[in-house]
Amino acid sequence: MPSMPWVDGECPSKRTLALQISHNRSARGLVGVIFTRQDRAGEGKLSSRLGLVTDAVEVTDMMDVYAYLVRELSAGGKADYVIVDEAQFLTPDQIDQLARIVDDLDMDVFAFGITTDFRTKLFPGSQRLIELADRLEQLQVEALCWCGARATHNARTVGGEMVVEGAQVVVGDVNRPAAEIGYEVLCRRHHRKRMTSAAAHAGALSPDVLPVNHA
């Protein structure tokens, strides 16, 4: 039975998995439609840092993804499944449209993205996916903080320093120069302390000390 899994994970792993799912299904003769938004490779592209790139349909704010797919099918196009990358950037209405694709068109929809922004707040699209998805899957390959702990938070950096204010969506990349906007995954402890890898290497780390009250 068609379903809509929500795959939560960091960019390098999730994009590779999205491309792998598309490749495996196309090798079986199935045809998929790939939607994406704000991929670093440019408009209408889905790319991974392994060098894999494929064409995709760029989603805009006002786009009705269900209506788009119906038009394609009505014009003689073929689609057996849908892949959505950067699904957190979609609007809640567009997430509802993805659910309608599953229910009304009997297609699997694989939605990939991250759950929270650099302020640890839910993206509106991610929140709606959590509410509607048939299941939530965490990537088996876990992202790690610079300290080695499991990375659970996304940090935005400007000039190498972590920031916690600003627009929710700003396109950046982990490989950009430090003077530009970038992103880094951190564990909760170091996100709370605003301790990026650059900050950690800038000075010696002191162990946490519990407060002691002297009589």
Side-chain angles (χ1 to χ4, degrees):
M1 183 167 181
S3 64
M4 183 172 66
W6 164 229
V7 183
D8 176 28
E10 296 311 313
C11 293
S13 299
K14 71 178 178 60
R15 285 176 178 154
T16 300
L17 179 57
L19 289 166
Q20 183 179 359
I21 288 175
S22 178
H23 173 76
N24 290 346
R25 279 162 174 71
S26 64
R28 291 163 44 197
L30 300 177
V31 177
V33 175
I34 300 175
F35 292 104
T36 190
R37 184 162 187 182
Q38 299 183 353
D39 189 278
R40 73 185 192 284
E43 184 174 324
K45 298 292 182 183
L46 172 60
S47 64
S48 78
R49 292 193 178 87
L50 297 180
L52 303 173
V53 182
T54 190
D55 291 331
V57 179
E58 186 77 13
V59 178
T60 61
D61 283 337
M62 303 305 296
M63 182 177 181
D64 185 325
V65 291
Y66 175 83
Y68 174 90
L69 199 57
V70 168
R71 286 196 301 270
E72 292 295 305
L73 295 173
S74 299
K78 188 176 187 298
D80 300 300
Y81 62 94
V82 171
I83 290 176
V84 186
D85 189 43
E86 303 294 5
Q88 73 274 10
F89 294 148
L90 271 62
T91 67
D93 284 345
Q94 288 168 334
I95 302 304
D96 285 359
Q97 294 157 16
L98 293 179
R100 190 179 177 191
I101 290 173
V102 177
D103 298 338
D104 295 356
L105 301 181
D106 292 326
M107 291 185 196
D108 286 320
V109 174
F110 301 90
F112 295 83
I114 55 177
T115 303
T116 58
D117 64 15
F118 71 106
R119 302 165 301 182
T120 70
K121 304 296 185 182
L122 284 169
F123 286 99
S126 300
Q127 178 176 335
R128 192 61 180 145
L129 272 163
I130 292 172
E131 293 166 349
L132 291 183
D134 294 289
R135 62 183 184 275
L136 171 63
E137 298 180 1
Q138 293 282 341
L139 291 180
Q140 295 301 311
V141 179
E142 293 184 343
L144 299 179
C145 177
W146 59 264
C147 68
R150 179 171 177 265
T152 54
H153 292 63
N154 298 286
R156 179 185 293 172
T157 58
V158 177
E161 295 186 3
M162 181 176 161
V163 296
V164 293
E165 296 181 352
Q168 186 175 52
V169 179
V170 177
V171 178
D173 193 56
V174 296
N175 294 322
R176 288 192 176 189
E180 300 182 20
I181 294 174
Y183 290 91
E184 181 178 350
V185 292
L186 300 172
C187 63
R188 184 185 63 234
R189 175 171 177 255
H190 288 120
H191 188 281
R192 181 172 53 82
K193 293 186 173 185
R194 303 189 190 183
M195 185 70 72
T196 64
S197 58
H201 291 111
L205 293 177
S206 298
D208 290 338
V209 178
L210 294 175
V212 178
N213 296 322
H214 295 285

